[in-house]
Amino acid sequence: MASIMRRKPAPRRESSTPRASKGQVRRVSPLKPGLRNARNWATAHMRAATYSRRGALRMFSVIASFTLFILFSGLWLGGFLPDIRNNLDEYSRTRLIAMGFVVDHVDVVGEGRILENEVQAALGIRPGDYLFETDLRAAQQRVQSLPWVNDAMVRRLWPDRYVVHIIERRPMAMWQSEQQLRVIDTDGRIIEAALPEDFAALPRFIGAGASQNAKAFLVSMTSAPLISEQVDLIIRVGNRRWDLQLKDSGARILLPENGADKALLRLSKYHDSHRILDLDIETIDLRLPDRMIARPRQDAGSTVYVKRKGEAA
């Protein structure tokens, strides 16, 4: 009878990990791969794409971005990106040339001593060239490097034209240094292409530092136009002050370091009343503010003319 009786089933061992009841979120161990979470994320987005347009657009953008990333990575790793870029540039260039974007005219505005063909040669642009192939900044720098050019601006005008505006350097004076005579502009820079014999009427400066200070001194000489007309040489002394040498008499006028314009005006007024520049004088010293000393030539006697401030002549 005992054999006929059924055995009792062995009691079930309770698991140490509590099972999640219905409606509860099952906790995933952090040691397991995250594929289940990725699958749940994809399932959720697919379900959202099914029920709403925004979800569908979001899902499509994610797929497209991932595809483009894979494609770009493959092209970059394979070294195909430079070839693709070159092909696109060549295609664009060919299409624009076919549409008429080629150089037909190069206009130079403001040329005087510099010739138009010299500007075009420095520009490096010829009729028939592709309009967008030239680097405007580099072309402008080449034009500005020409001897007579003070400033230049290069513009591209669609569809077939380049325009170059030039401001030429203006000769201001001649500067003699180390037995060499050169023409300088209003900034005191040497104009290498200018020939001194073509500008004999310009004022002539001598001495170190004369070119940098020539413009300011010519402005101060405007206070005495009668004297400036008789000046032959303007001499820089010690890079501090100026001496003037007159044309006909050869007399030398010594000017102070400061206030040269006032000293010239004082001499001009004294010449109007006493004709001092017509005398046989070797030097006229104006370096002292309260007096003017005139020294005659040695063969004309030893008389020294002194004019004190406030005294009658």
Side-chain angles (χ1 to χ4, degrees):
M1 186 170 182
S3 60
I4 301 175
M5 293 180 63
R6 293 182 179 179
R7 291 185 179 180
K8 287 186 177 182
R12 300 181 62 183
R13 180 178 294 181
E14 296 293 334
S15 175
S16 60
T17 303
R19 298 181 63 183
S21 60
K22 187 175 182 181
Q24 292 182 349
V25 179
R26 184 176 181 183
R27 186 173 181 181
V28 180
S29 174
L31 298 178
K32 294 182 179 181
L35 296 178
R36 181 175 299 175
N37 289 336
R39 184 181 60 185
N40 293 339
W41 178 87
T43 303
H45 279 73
M46 290 294 294
R47 188 180 299 112
T50 305
Y51 292 115
S52 66
R53 177 177 297 179
R54 177 180 292 182
L57 292 176
R58 185 180 302 170
M59 190 66 184
F60 176 76
S61 63
V62 171
I63 296 175
S65 300
F66 183 73
T67 304
L68 290 176
F69 174 76
I70 295 298
L71 180 61
F72 178 82
S73 300
L75 293 176
W76 178 66
L77 293 174
F80 297 106
L81 288 181
D83 295 336
I84 294 175
R85 188 184 299 112
N86 294 335
N87 292 334
L88 290 176
D89 292 342
E90 184 63 26
Y91 175 78
S92 301
R93 182 177 185 275
T94 304
R95 293 296 301 169
L96 290 174
I97 290 176
M99 294 170 62
F101 287 95
V102 294
V103 179
D104 284 342
H105 307 281
V106 178
D107 300 331
V108 180
V109 180
E111 77 278 6
R113 292 182 177 89
I114 186 171
L115 301 179
E116 183 175 351
N117 57 357
E118 294 177 351
V119 177
Q120 292 181 357
L123 194 63
I125 300 174
R126 297 181 300 273
D129 289 347
Y130 176 46
L131 186 67
F132 302 102
E133 195 169 17
T134 301
D135 185 352
L136 290 182
R137 179 174 298 181
Q140 182 169 306
Q141 291 176 352
R142 290 194 299 270
V143 175
Q144 289 176 342
S145 65
L146 294 175
W148 278 104
V149 175
N150 184 45
D151 196 9
M153 181 176 63
V154 180
R155 295 189 302 166
R156 180 190 293 120
L157 299 181
W158 295 6
D160 58 358
R161 188 181 301 269
Y162 275 91
V163 179
V164 185
H165 292 265
I166 291 178
I167 300 177
E168 287 193 348
R169 299 168 67 181
R170 185 166 63 89
M172 179 188 65
M174 290 191 295
W175 175 45
Q176 182 175 337
S177 177
E178 298 178 356
Q179 305 300 322
Q180 189 173 5
L181 194 61
R182 297 176 178 176
V183 180
I184 59 175
D185 62 6
T186 53
D187 294 328
R189 297 177 301 169
I190 298 174
I191 305 176
E192 299 291 349
L195 300 177
E197 54 267 24
D198 296 336
F199 301 94
L202 292 177
R204 186 164 56 158
F205 288 80
I206 298 178
S211 59
Q212 293 86 350
N213 300 276
K215 182 178 181 179
F217 183 73
L218 289 178
V219 173
S220 65
M221 285 186 62
T222 57
S223 62
L226 180 62
I227 297 178
S228 62
E229 292 176 358
Q230 303 184 45
V231 172
D232 182 33
L233 296 177
I234 305 172
I235 306 165
R236 186 69 170 172
V237 180
N239 202 12
R240 296 185 301 105
R241 63 176 193 84
W242 301 95
D243 283 355
L244 304 179
Q245 184 172 325
L246 303 184
K247 296 178 182 177
D248 298 331
S249 64
R252 187 158 178 160
I253 301 173
L254 283 63
L255 297 176
E257 183 176 352
N258 299 312
D261 53 344
K262 296 179 181 179
L264 288 172
L265 181 61
R266 180 158 49 99
L267 177 61
S268 179
K269 291 179 179 180
Y270 194 74
H271 175 71
D272 290 339
S273 57
H274 298 85
R275 312 305 298 178
I276 187 174
L277 298 180
D278 296 338
L279 301 176
D280 194 8
I281 293 177
E282 183 177 2
T283 60
I284 301 176
D285 194 344
L286 301 174
R287 290 177 293 178
L288 298 177
D290 61 342
R291 68 190 64 193
M292 179 174 58
I293 303 174
R295 293 187 176 88
R297 299 186 184 278
Q298 295 181 357
D299 54 358
S302 58
T303 305
V304 178
Y305 302 88
V306 180
K307 168 77 167 52
R308 297 181 182 273
K309 188 176 182 181
E311 292 182 349

